[in-house]
Amino acid sequence: MKGGNLYRLRGKKLSFILSVLICTTILLWAWEKTPLVTSLLPAQDQFVMPYSEYLVDSHMKPSQVINPMEHFEEGFSDAIATGETRNEPLVQNFSVPPISLATSNSTKNIENIRDFARSSAETKVCNYAKGRWVADNRRPLYSGFGCKQWLSGMWACRLTQRTDFSYEGFRWQPKNCEMPEFEGSAFLRRMQDKTLAFVGDSLGRQQFQSLMCMVTGGKESPEVQDAGREYGLVKARGAIRPDGWAYRFPSTNTTILYYWSASLCDLEPLNITDTATSYAMHLDRPVAFLRRYLDRIHVLVLNTGHHWNRGKLRANRWVMYVNGMPNNDKKRAEIWNAKNFAVYSVIKWVNSQLPQHPQLKAFFRTISPRHFRNGDWNTGGNCDNTIPLTGGSEVSQDESSDPVVEHAVKGTGIKMLDITPLSELRDEGHMSRYSNKAMEGVNDCLHWCLPGIPDTWNEILAAQV
């Protein structure tokens, strides 16, 4: 009898030791295999780029770079007639259960391992630029015949001679992550007592008008207040329009604004007494609007790109300046290098301001693609295709098609709003040869019909706010 008890006792000890060894092995295997081990590696260096990194990399694969000559001209209406926490780690710091705990409850620890792996997968940031366009009969999000309160008639394709509107019936579906359905009132509640600002060129203005239409559902909203004067957005004497617009929704005290800054550089008149003066275009200094009002902004969306060409600089009398002096670096003076330098500079400045502005979430939107074929805007180029997705419906690449912005935001608290590859597939969504003025021979393959592709940019933005 005593011998039987001894054998049973030894069996329990062996079983206990075996359980400990099995659980320890599982934990060690999981620790080696889990991608979270990479979180122990040194963090990326802070944003300190050598000057050479600002410049165009001549060895970069053509498929990785947006051709600067394809993205210069901007603003047909203007040319023809004359808008979480930062510095958070890429992976959250999960703690692994101590191995000693495995001895108390092996089943519980195996479940901990599964939860641990599941949690690590869930913390992976969604790549909203990767996915596909799918047909959706719930689109568009507002009427192309309405929203006249916010939408410029020149971009309302339903009010033009165009007869095919199939481009309106698609939504973007990111791969391996869900994008919540946009609902205007819910968005305003999330933006309670906050200000969202678009600062950029006329594509930024399109995104601003798109969001105003989305938030209101395209319906007349007389309760919305004009808050432009609070941000210096008033029409100057003799000007065609103000430098931007700001509107406040009183129910949630939410302000949405747009400020026109085609280059994001500070522009300073060289002779304030001369109406025909040239302007210092400070490549290393952000536009004064940002420096003045950043403390009042909670969500900032920046963009630039299409104004960076010699014709625009000459027409606007912009002279490149760096360090408060005329730029004498010939390589930096090359247009695309100057643009890259300015992009890095403004991102570096905004990033430096984040510790002083803890309320701020900043985004830099990648370049919006042009689709001119058989020529450019002034040489008979067109984008006459009206059949959606003739070039495919899916984006599978992991890297951005705008590597300048992708590299500039790396290691900073600014997020990239990557809309380039998904917009590249939608050549049928441009204004094309249609306009509210029916101007013969004019093709706008830069700006988009609204409702249209910029609505998707805002859906992706809203998913990250």
Side-chain angles (χ1 to χ4, degrees):
M1 212 43 201
K2 291 182 179 179
N5 288 336
L6 181 61
Y7 283 123
R8 282 193 292 272
L9 181 60
R10 288 177 178 174
K12 289 181 178 179
K13 287 184 177 179
L14 287 174
S15 177
F16 174 79
I17 293 170
L18 184 60
S19 297
V20 171
L21 289 174
I22 291 173
C23 291
T24 302
T25 302
I26 291 173
L27 283 167
L28 290 174
W29 178 86
W31 175 254
E32 292 175 353
K33 295 298 182 180
T34 177
L36 292 183
V37 173
T38 59
S39 67
L40 298 178
L41 298 176
Q44 292 179 348
D45 292 336
Q46 290 299 309
F47 176 69
V48 179
M49 300 294 293
Y51 171 67
S52 60
E53 293 297 324
Y54 294 133
L55 306 182
V56 173
D57 182 358
S58 60
H59 302 290
M60 193 170 288
K61 296 178 182 179
S63 62
Q64 294 178 315
V65 183
I66 295 294
N67 185 344
M69 293 307 296
E70 294 181 357
H71 297 275
F72 276 170
E73 199 58 39
E74 134 113 62
F76 278 76
S77 59
D78 298 335
I80 294 170
T82 52
E84 300 141 6
T85 60
R86 294 152 316 288
N87 297 320
E88 57 191 352
L90 295 179
V91 181
Q92 293 182 15
N93 183 22
F94 290 94
S95 58
V96 179
I99 292 178
S100 60
L101 293 181
T103 60
S104 63
N105 193 329
S106 59
T107 303
K108 184 176 184 298
N109 280 280
I110 291 172
E111 289 300 318
N112 285 343
I113 293 170
R114 291 172 180 167
D115 292 341
F116 174 57
R118 190 180 302 115
S119 296
S120 66
E122 289 173 355
T123 59
K124 184 178 181 181
V125 176
C126 176
N127 181 0
Y128 289 97
K130 190 175 181 179
R132 61 193 176 95
W133 289 101
V134 296
D136 189 338
N137 59 14
R138 295 170 298 174
R139 294 306 192 264
L141 298 175
Y142 54 93
S143 169
F145 292 107
C147 202
K148 296 179 181 179
Q149 189 175 359
W150 319 115
L151 177 56
S152 298
M154 60 185 173
W155 293 329
C157 285
R158 285 277 183 174
L159 304 181
T160 70
Q161 310 84 25
R162 183 163 183 158
T163 57
D164 187 285
F165 304 98
S166 55
Y167 64 87
E168 293 181 346
F170 292 85
R171 66 175 171 84
W172 179 248
Q173 176 59 57
K175 185 176 182 180
N176 298 328
C177 57
E178 291 298 323
M179 188 161 67
E181 190 75 17
F182 185 89
E183 204 279 313
S185 59
F187 179 77
L188 289 175
R189 287 194 299 271
R190 291 209 313 275
M191 290 294 294
Q192 177 97 30
D193 300 321
K194 293 180 172 62
T195 294
L196 187 155
F198 295 98
V199 179
D201 57 25
S202 59
L203 275 301
R205 184 183 171 197
Q206 283 210 301
Q207 191 174 359
F208 160 72
Q209 292 190 3
S210 162
L211 185 60
M212 291 298 297
C213 291
M214 290 168 64
V215 168
T216 60
K219 297 180 174 62
E220 286 293 315
S221 305
E223 77 283 1
V224 177
Q225 302 165 352
D226 186 343
R229 189 169 294 276
E230 298 176 27
Y231 296 88
L233 302 176
V234 293
K235 182 179 175 182
R237 180 177 297 178
I240 299 175
R241 61 178 71 93
D243 288 334
W245 297 264
Y247 297 104
R248 179 167 295 124
F249 293 80
S251 61
T252 58
N253 191 34
T254 302
T255 303
I256 300 176
L257 69 82
Y258 163 75
Y259 182 80
W260 185 88
S261 178
S263 67
L264 300 180
C265 298
D266 194 24
L267 299 174
E268 186 177 41
L270 295 178
N271 184 352
I272 59 174
T273 63
D274 182 4
T275 56
T277 186
S278 293
Y279 291 80
M281 179 188 189
H282 296 280
L283 301 180
D284 56 349
R285 187 189 301 173
V287 60
F289 180 86
L290 286 177
R291 301 200 310 273
R292 182 172 181 181
Y293 295 107
L294 192 65
D295 63 334
R296 299 179 59 178
I297 297 172
H298 300 82
V299 178
L300 174 64
V301 184
L302 302 170
N303 90 282
T304 188
H306 292 291
H307 266 265
W308 289 88
N309 65 85
R310 290 293 175 191
K312 287 290 186 182
L313 265 65
R314 283 194 297 268
N316 292 317
R317 303 188 299 277
W318 292 346
V319 181
M320 294 182 191
Y321 269 57
V322 176
N323 294 323
M325 304 290 291
N327 173 61
N328 56 11
D329 186 323
K330 291 184 179 179
K331 190 168 185 179
R332 184 163 54 204
E334 295 175 10
I335 287 292
W336 215 236
N337 287 335
K339 176 257 184 184
N340 295 350
F341 184 86
V343 167
Y344 274 90
S345 294
V346 71
I347 288 175
K348 182 177 181 180
W349 180 82
V350 172
N351 188 60
S352 73
Q353 299 300 303
L354 295 180
Q356 291 78 44
H357 300 86
Q359 85 287 354
L360 180 63
K361 294 180 183 179
F363 296 83
F364 201 109
R365 180 174 61 69
T366 61
I367 198 162
S368 173
R370 301 157 88 250
H371 287 94
F372 286 99
R373 301 290 182 266
N374 303 317
D376 214 323
W377 70 276
N378 56 353
T379 58
N382 66 76
C383 47
D384 285 343
N385 174 45
T386 58
I387 302 174
L389 305 172
T390 55
S393 62
E394 186 172 359
V395 173
S396 57
Q397 66 193 51
D398 291 315
E399 71 281 0
S400 173
S401 296
D402 190 341
V404 173
V405 173
E406 182 178 35
H407 295 160
V409 302
K410 190 175 183 180
T412 74
I414 290 84
K415 292 186 176 183
M416 177 175 63
L417 186 60
D418 192 5
I419 56 84
T420 306
L422 62 92
S423 304
E424 188 67 48
L425 297 174
R426 303 304 307 276
D427 64 308
E428 87 288 2
H430 287 293
M431 296 298 303
S432 185
R433 56 190 171 89
Y434 306 101
S435 71
N436 56 355
K437 296 181 179 179
M439 301 176 71
E440 192 66 31
V442 174
N443 285 270
D444 185 349
C445 304
L446 170 65
H447 296 98
W448 304 91
C449 289
L450 290 177
I453 310 308
D455 302 336
T456 296
W457 305 350
N458 283 323
E459 288 183 276
I460 296 174
L461 173 65
Q464 300 178 75
V465 169

